[in-house]
Amino acid sequence: MKDTQILSAFQELAPESPASAAPAVLLYDACQVGVALRAVLFVEAVVAVGAMYGTSTALDWIVRLALLTGSALPATVFWLVVACLFKQPLGRLPRPAQYAAGVLLGALAGLYGCGMLLLAGLLSPAPWLASASSGALLAGVLVAVLALRARGRMPADTAARLSELQSRIRPHFLFNTLNSAIALVRAEPAKAEALLEDLSDLFRHALVDQGESVTLGDEIALARRYLDIEQVRFGDRLQLEWALDPRADGARLPPLLLQPLLENAVRHGVEPSPSGAQVRISTQRRGSTVVIKVTNTVPSGPGPHGHGVALDNVRDRLRLLHDVQCSFQTIHKDGIYQVRMEVPA
């Protein structure tokens, strides 16, 4: 099963658009590309609207916008750089202190931008108080928006996790695994013991909180456990192929991300076909990006479409963790179905 069979189809796809006293996460992680982009676009939009005041022609507006951008853009970059450099100390502060630090840093950034224009001889006299107040106000709004996003992260991740548990520990999967173990107890006791160990490991990972993220290497190890169970059930009908890049093992993923994708591959590819199907898992590091692919043949055709809950949960959890730095695509072409993900290395 070669990737070239469906590579062209991916090239045709349009790129995707992008409660405790102590904080669980930093409210404004300025080291994330998505946060930096949002901050720059937000400030520039406010500046563009503010430049409309006191102008009568489009040319006046452009001149005023250029002048204000010369102050606002360096100030925004200053805020992002300082917030990124002090990410760890800020993350240890309680939420009110994080808000206060963000607003204070915004005021300093406003003073910095005003000073840049003053040094360039483009501003006289310098409106220090207005610049500091504007910087503090913009920073306060930005921090509030990012805080709302961070607050929404926990319930969304919890709901996705519960849905993953429901879709993975389906009764028929559990019963089939136990029946396979019972059938092996007398004939191959060692194999039956290994099967039950794999099942126990799956449940342990399902019920223990793994935190916000795990490594790709950990996910691969768990995926092997799951596929070992299904291999006992389907035998030669499940044809596995691994193409793993060790350099990609350090990439961070939400916990229990690969297993539902593999379950879909088995359920829609292997299970309906008397002759079975091929399932291929590949990882590759390309510079600062890791590409993960789960591919399976569909000999019996696409069959009835499901609700897509598992795929939606995987996509949403991936975006919650990596924001605009990740991508998630699926394609079905020429009897092959593939899920392709890209995450930071």
Side-chain angles (χ1 to χ4, degrees):
M1 183 166 49
K2 297 184 179 299
D3 287 336
T4 53
Q5 292 174 264
I6 57 175
L7 181 58
S8 59
F10 275 112
Q11 293 173 343
E12 294 167 3
L13 292 175
E16 295 188 358
S17 308
S20 57
V25 293
L26 178 63
L27 299 182
Y28 43 96
D29 186 358
C31 298
Q32 290 188 357
V33 175
V35 171
L37 288 176
R38 289 183 180 93
V40 171
L41 291 175
F42 167 70
V43 172
E44 193 62 24
V46 172
V47 167
V49 173
M52 295 180 182
Y53 291 92
T55 59
S56 55
T57 65
L59 182 60
D60 290 341
W61 176 76
I62 293 175
V63 172
R64 183 179 290 267
L65 176 61
L67 179 65
L68 293 176
T69 299
S71 171
L73 190 58
T76 305
V77 172
F78 173 86
W79 189 90
L80 291 169
V81 170
V82 175
C84 182
L85 289 176
F86 292 93
K87 172 182 175 179
Q88 293 184 352
L90 287 172
R92 290 192 289 266
L93 295 176
R95 286 185 183 274
Q98 287 195 36
Y99 280 110
V103 172
L104 178 60
L105 186 56
L108 293 176
L111 294 175
Y112 173 78
C114 182
M116 293 289 290
L117 290 183
L118 184 64
L119 290 176
L122 299 176
L123 199 61
S124 182
W128 296 109
L129 181 59
S131 298
S133 300
S134 299
L137 179 61
L138 291 175
V141 173
L142 180 62
V143 170
V145 171
L146 295 176
L148 288 175
R149 180 179 180 271
R151 187 175 299 173
R153 181 176 189 149
M154 182 61 69
D157 189 53
T158 301
R161 180 181 178 84
L162 291 176
S163 185
E164 291 296 340
L165 292 174
Q166 183 179 2
S167 66
R168 180 177 60 260
I169 310 176
R170 296 195 309 261
H172 84 266
F173 169 71
L174 176 60
F175 293 152
N176 287 334
T177 303
L178 292 177
N179 287 335
S180 298
I182 291 171
L184 291 170
V185 165
R186 293 186 178 179
E188 300 179 79
K191 198 170 184 179
E193 182 180 357
L195 179 63
L196 293 175
E197 287 178 355
D198 290 336
L199 181 63
S200 173
D201 204 42
L202 276 179
F203 273 84
R204 180 175 61 83
H205 279 79
L207 300 176
V208 175
D209 185 10
Q210 302 293 323
E212 183 183 55
S213 66
V214 296
T215 64
L216 175 57
D218 292 336
E219 281 291 288
I220 292 294
L222 186 63
R224 289 186 184 275
R225 294 276 194 176
Y226 169 73
L227 291 173
D228 285 344
I229 292 175
E230 296 290 32
Q231 189 81 72
V232 173
R233 179 184 169 196
F234 292 104
D236 294 337
R237 290 173 58 196
L238 175 55
Q239 304 163 37
L240 292 174
E241 182 181 350
W242 299 86
L244 305 179
D245 183 353
R247 300 175 303 164
D249 287 349
R252 307 298 297 187
L253 296 176
L256 305 169
L257 193 80
L258 288 183
Q259 193 276 332
L261 299 179
L262 294 171
E263 185 174 359
N264 270 1
V266 171
R267 186 180 182 186
H268 298 290
V270 181
E271 192 170 345
S273 174
S275 60
Q278 294 175 290
V279 178
R280 186 175 191 268
I281 304 94
S282 68
T283 62
Q284 184 181 15
R285 177 164 181 168
R286 299 177 180 175
S288 60
T289 302
V290 170
V291 179
I292 308 164
K293 300 176 187 177
V294 177
T295 312
N296 64 276
T297 57
V298 191
S300 300
H305 291 286
H307 299 290
V309 174
L311 292 178
D312 289 342
N313 283 341
V314 170
R315 181 187 293 108
D316 292 343
R317 296 173 71 203
L318 202 59
R319 286 177 176 171
L320 280 172
L321 181 63
H322 291 302
D323 202 18
V324 298
Q325 292 178 279
C326 72
S327 70
F328 182 96
Q329 295 176 323
T330 63
I331 194 67
H332 178 238
K333 181 181 179 182
D334 298 334
I336 296 178
Y337 185 85
Q338 185 177 94
V339 176
R340 175 192 172 99
M341 298 174 287
E342 293 187 16
V343 297

